[in-house]
Amino acid sequence: MSSSALIDLVDQLLTGSGPLPIVAAGDPVLRRPAEPVDDRLDRKRLDRLIGAMRETMLAAPGVGLAAPQVGLPLRLAVIEDAAEVSEEIRQARGRVPQPFRVLINPSYEPVGPGRAAFFEGCLSVPGWGAVVARHANVRLRALDERGRAVDEMFTGWPARIVQHETDHLDGTLYLDRAELRSLSSREAMAGRWAQPTPAAAAEALGFELGDAQEA
C-alpha cells in the first residue's frame, strides 16, 4: 500500500468518535499478510491509531486487537488483560494480568515442546469459540510504540494472546488452528463448557486433545 493510501485509510478511520468498526471473517484484509509498520505513519497518527485500537479492544471487550481487524493491513497489535477470573481458572490456564502493550512488527517462536489446549474466541468471529492447541511458551520479538526493541518470554494465557494476535498479522485466524469438532456457540461455551479445561467438551463432542497439555 502506498504511503498516501495508508494515510488516507488511517485518517478515515480516525475521523469518527468512539470505538472503531471491527472487521468480520470473510473480509480479505484478514487473510492477507500485513505490511510492516515503517515511517509512512508519523508519530502523531500512529499514537492516535494506537489509542483508538485500545479503546476498541476494551469496548468489545477483548484482550487483544490486531490492525487488520479494523481494516488496516499493518503489522500492529495491542494487548491488555485484567485477567478477572476465578483462581481455579487462573491456575488451570495460566491466566495472569497483562498490562497494556503495543506490538509493532511482532514475531514469535516456540520455546520448548509444551502445548496447551483451551477454548478460544475472536472479535472477528463473534459468537463462536473453539479449542486451539498452542505453544505453552513463546519468545516474542517486536518493537514498542516508541521503537524500542521487545524480546520477551511469554507463558500460559499471555503466550496464547501473543500467538493469536501475531497470527492475525500473517492472515491466520484461530479457526485455522482449531479442533473444529469443538466449535461452540457463545451460549454453549457459557452453559456447557465453562469448566477451566476443555476435557469435558472433548469427551462429549468427540475430539482428542492430542499431545496438548491442559495446564
Side-chain angles (χ1 to χ4, degrees), residues 5-188:
L6 177 62
I7 290 171
D8 287 346
L9 184 53
V10 171
D11 286 349
Q12 182 180 355
L13 279 174
L14 297 177
T15 53
S17 60
L20 304 174
I22 295 178
V23 172
D27 192 307
V29 72
L30 293 173
R31 289 309 198 172
R32 296 171 181 159
E35 301 175 15
V37 176
D38 53 25
D39 58 4
R40 290 176 293 175
L41 289 183
D42 60 80
R43 173 57 56 191
K44 183 177 180 180
R45 277 192 176 88
L46 182 59
D47 285 347
R48 288 182 63 208
L49 174 60
I50 289 169
M53 288 178 60
R54 185 187 190 191
E55 179 185 7
T56 303
M57 172 184 65
L58 295 177
V63 296
L65 186 73
Q69 292 182 276
V70 294
L72 285 175
L74 287 177
R75 294 193 68 82
L76 169 66
V78 296
I79 65 175
E80 184 174 2
D81 186 12
E84 296 175 340
V85 296
S86 70
E87 185 61 26
E88 184 181 15
I89 288 178
R90 186 186 306 276
Q91 291 294 327
R93 302 179 187 177
R95 187 166 180 180
V96 295
Q98 284 297 297
F100 177 66
R101 296 173 183 264
V102 178
L103 307 180
I104 294 176
N105 302 333
S107 64
Y108 68 82
E109 61 185 52
V111 177
R115 292 173 69 80
F118 292 105
F119 272 102
E120 192 171 313
C122 179
L123 298 178
S124 290
V125 190
W128 297 91
V131 173
V132 184
R134 291 194 181 271
H135 304 296
N137 306 287
V138 296
R139 180 180 182 180
L140 172 75
R141 292 184 176 91
L143 299 176
D144 69 9
E145 64 271 30
R146 292 294 174 257
R148 296 169 297 202
V150 175
D151 188 342
E152 190 172 343
M153 295 282 294
F154 286 80
T155 189
W157 204 262
R160 179 171 297 268
I161 296 171
V162 163
Q163 291 171 80
H164 181 113
E165 300 308 330
T166 304
D167 279 358
H168 269 303
L169 308 180
D170 296 324
T172 299
L173 295 177
Y174 84 99
L175 289 174
D176 299 330
R177 302 187 185 280
E179 168 52 67
L180 291 184
R181 287 186 72 95
S182 71
L183 186 66
S184 302
S185 69
R186 186 181 303 277
E187 292 77 16

